[in-house]
Amino acid sequence: MSSAVQRRRPQTAQQFVLEELRRAITSGELRPGGQIRQDALAARFEVSRVPLREALKALEAEGLVVHHIHRGYFVAELSLADLEEIYRIRELLETEAVRMAVRRMPDGTVATLERIQREVERAADLGDVPAMAAANRLFHFTLVEASGMPRLVRLIATLWDSTDAYRSLYYTEGSHRKQAVREHRAVISAVRHGDEDATVHWLDEHRAHAVAALRDVLAPERDQALP
């Protein structure tokens, strides 16, 4: 039996498949632009095609997959312009959330960030990209959730969901993992000292480095479109 099936299933087969497909996409196992082969996935998850189709429809609504008539489902791809726009919107929203978080800073937040950072660094050292991506997300959302602004956090989460697969591509390079570790440490130091401007600065740097690296991944698409 597959490792996916050995996990404790959610309430329904559709929820189980949805969870596993989302994990495969956001971890980079299913890469942007890749075709989703339904027969193989149904066999892997030991489910019928019905819950698989329903899960794919849900992911299509979230923007993680796209459906092409007569061709099937594919993992959604972002253009360079899409990626840059999403990261720009994240910058605007996360700046507001982080400034409020630093002002409020609930008890224990810094200790929680430090604990999560140890997981980030462990995964970085091992080259475990899915584990690092998961720990990285937990790190960032621990910080923005400290803002006490749940609607804003939900908006930020939607933007993160649409770029998770690309974030995993970024972490495949050891130099990028080391860069992220250094930036996280700087963020924790700034938060510990209650320095809003420094916290925002290091998070801006963090995003900028990721966009620059991903621009190299997506630039060939742009270059091919030039006359």
Side-chain angles (χ1 to χ4, degrees):
M1 184 177 293
S2 69
S3 60
V5 175
Q6 288 174 338
R7 301 178 188 181
R8 185 171 61 86
R9 295 196 179 196
Q11 186 176 4
T12 67
Q14 180 186 334
Q15 289 171 331
F16 166 72
V17 174
L18 180 60
E19 176 185 300
E20 290 299 324
L21 280 176
R22 187 183 287 114
R23 180 200 59 75
I25 292 170
T26 58
S27 70
E29 179 184 343
L30 294 176
R31 298 172 71 85
Q35 186 171 12
I36 297 173
R37 303 189 181 282
Q38 295 185 49
D39 288 339
L41 288 174
R44 169 181 168 182
F45 298 145
E46 299 180 7
V47 297
S48 71
R49 292 283 292 273
V50 174
L52 183 60
R53 283 195 298 267
E54 293 303 313
L56 287 169
K57 289 178 183 177
L59 291 173
E60 183 180 19
E62 294 178 14
L64 287 179
V65 304
V66 293
H67 182 258
H68 298 295
I69 296 175
H70 306 309
R71 295 179 61 205
Y73 284 95
F74 293 77
V75 179
E77 289 184 280
L78 291 176
S79 67
L80 179 57
D82 289 335
L83 187 80
E84 290 176 334
E85 180 182 7
I86 289 168
Y87 270 74
R88 173 57 178 155
I89 298 169
R90 274 188 53 198
E91 177 186 345
L92 296 171
L93 298 183
E94 290 178 15
T95 294
E96 179 65 22
V98 167
R99 286 191 179 278
M100 183 59 68
V102 173
R103 292 170 198 168
R104 294 179 74 247
M105 201 43 55
D107 291 343
T109 300
V110 172
T112 299
L113 289 172
E114 290 173 335
R115 175 180 57 77
I116 298 167
Q117 178 62 7
R118 288 193 290 272
E119 290 300 310
V120 170
E121 296 187 17
R122 182 193 64 80
D125 289 342
L126 293 173
D128 187 339
V129 172
M132 183 168 180
N136 174 74
R137 184 180 180 114
L138 185 57
F139 179 94
H140 284 270
F141 277 89
T142 295
L143 183 54
V144 298
E145 286 170 2
S147 68
M149 304 172 75
R151 291 177 179 81
L152 180 56
V153 172
R154 286 197 293 272
L155 290 173
I156 293 169
T158 299
L159 296 169
W160 271 70
D161 289 344
S162 64
T163 57
D164 264 339
Y166 290 85
R167 197 167 297 107
S168 293
L169 290 177
Y170 176 65
Y171 287 141
T172 59
E173 293 289 337
S175 61
H176 296 160
R177 296 195 298 272
K178 291 178 181 178
Q179 181 77 40
V181 164
R182 289 193 296 269
E183 289 159 352
H184 278 201
R185 289 176 179 171
V187 168
I188 291 174
S189 178
V191 171
R192 184 184 295 111
H193 289 92
D195 191 332
E196 288 181 35
D197 291 339
T199 304
V200 169
H201 165 77
W202 284 111
L203 287 169
D204 286 347
E205 288 288 300
H206 195 42
R207 283 187 298 269
H209 288 145
V211 171
L214 292 170
R215 189 177 288 120
D216 292 338
V217 174
L218 297 173
E221 171 191 311
R222 177 194 59 191
D223 295 340
Q224 289 170 7
L226 294 177

